[in-house]
Structure formats: structure tokens, C-alpha cells
């Protein structure tokens, strides 16, 4: 009998994005990753979709408008996931800098001090 499940290693960034998407679409984390895998497979196997053309557009070697509708959808999925992960990390890095203002885990407005501690703003 073969196993119905297997373990795989995925980056924390991908899992963080998948977790947020899963919440949006009311899926489990595993279901979201599986959904993306099935979409990727379907895109790669779709007539009229060329992963080489999609990769070329992502790398700036061709334009978005030159892609078919299927390829444009795949491009936006890939670009959106990469952009979201990079943006999240960029904001997290800003929040770690001295003087940054944000909310603590209890929702209070705080400012990060030079020593890394958080000081509540009144």
C-alpha cells in the first residue's frame, strides 16, 4: 500500500504567503500549496502556454502584452507571489529599525528604540 501523504521542505517565505492566501480562500495550508501546484502543472501543460515565454516576461526579456491570456495569468500569479514576499520582508526590515512606529502584539502603538525595545506611544 502506498502512502497518501508525503513531507516536503518549503521555504518559510512561501509558507507565509500560502498561509495568508489560505486564510483568504478558507483553505488549509496544505490545500493552498496543493492548489498552487495543480495550477502550475495545469499552466505548464496547457496548450497556448509556454513557461519559457512566461519566464522571459518575468525576466524582462519580453513584454506582458506579448503573452497569451493563459500565460498572463501565470505571470501575474508568479509575479504577485514574489512581490508580496519581498514587500513583506522589506516592511519587516523597516519595522526592526530604530525609530520605526507600529503596533505590538497587543495592538498598542509603539516606537522601536535603538536598543531594539518597544516604547508605547501615548
Amino acid at each position: 500500500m502506498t502512502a497518501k501523504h508525503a513531507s516536503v521542505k518549503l521555504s518559510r517565505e512561501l509558507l507565509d504567503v500560502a498561509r495568508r492566501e489560505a486564510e483568504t480562500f478558507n483553505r488549509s495550508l496544505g490545500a493552498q500549496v496543493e492548489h498552487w501546484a495543480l495550477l502550475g502543472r495545469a499552466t505548464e501543460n496547457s496548450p497556448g502556454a509556454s513557461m519559457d515565454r512566461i519566464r522571459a516576461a518575468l525576466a524582462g526579456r519580453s513584454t506582458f502584452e506579448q503573452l497569451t491570456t493563459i500565460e498572463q495569468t501565470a505571470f501575474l500569479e508568479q509575479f504577485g507571489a514574489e512581490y508580496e514576499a519581498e514587500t513583506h520582508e522589506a516592511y519587516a526590515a523597516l519595522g526592526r529599525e530604530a525609530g520605526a512606529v507600529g503596533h505590538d502584539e497587543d495592538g498598542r502603538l509603539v516606537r522601536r528604540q535603538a536598543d531594539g525595545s518597544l516604547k508605547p506611544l501615548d
Side-chain angles (χ1 to χ4, degrees), residues 21-85:
E21 288 291 311
E23 289 174 10
T24 300
F25 292 102
N26 198 30
R27 295 183 180 119
S28 69
L29 177 59
Q32 183 64 42
V33 172
E34 187 172 344
H35 172 73
W36 281 346
L38 292 172
L39 281 175
R41 182 175 176 218
T43 300
E44 289 177 351
N45 293 322
S46 293
S50 163
M51 290 309 294
D52 288 335
R53 288 169 39 91
I54 294 166
R55 287 185 187 104
L58 286 166
R61 294 189 307 271
S62 68
T63 66
F64 179 78
E65 293 77 18
Q66 292 173 313
L67 300 175
T68 67
T69 302
I70 293 169
E71 290 168 341
Q72 287 177 357
T73 300
F75 174 96
L76 292 172
E77 285 284 330
Q78 181 66 31
F79 181 77
E82 289 178 16
Y83 179 76
E84 185 175 351

